[in-house]
Amino acid sequence: MNRDKDILWLRDELTRRFDLVLRPSAEEIERFREEVARLAAVVGDREVAESAAARRVFLMQVGSADMQPAEGLRSAA
């Protein structure tokens, strides 16, 4: 079994890894993958790219606040 092809396993893994309250949809997972690929090409570090992509895709921006690191969002809440 290819875990990247198993959408349920991947959804649960992303939920756990990024402390998501709601599980991502298939469309969000696809946007996440695309954003990781784009950022990894720019940054050159896949782990940094995954973290940044998770913030951009899975965190909902409220109001006109600038995109902040996840730590800043948690402390503001």
Side-chain angles (χ1 to χ4, degrees), residues 9-38:
W9 177 88
L10 187 57
R11 183 186 69 181
D12 292 344
E13 179 64 15
L14 291 171
T15 301
R16 180 194 61 75
R17 183 167 176 213
F18 296 111
D19 292 330
L20 302 177
V21 176
L22 300 174
R23 291 183 177 155
S25 66
E27 292 82 20
E28 288 171 318
I29 291 172
E30 187 58 34
R31 282 195 352 240
F32 171 76
R33 287 176 168 164
E34 291 169 359
E35 188 69 7
V36 168
R38 186 184 74 76

Side-chain angles (χ1 to χ4, degrees), residues 28-67:
E28 288 171 318
I29 291 172
E30 187 58 34
R31 282 195 352 240
F32 171 76
R33 287 176 168 164
E34 291 169 359
E35 188 69 7
V36 168
R38 186 184 74 76
L39 291 172
V42 172
V43 178
D45 184 338
R46 185 157 181 92
E47 190 170 327
V48 170
E50 287 178 349
S51 181
R55 283 194 303 273
R56 290 181 180 183
V57 174
F58 301 135
L59 293 180
M60 184 186 325
Q61 189 173 0
V62 179
S64 62
D66 293 331
M67 186 59 87

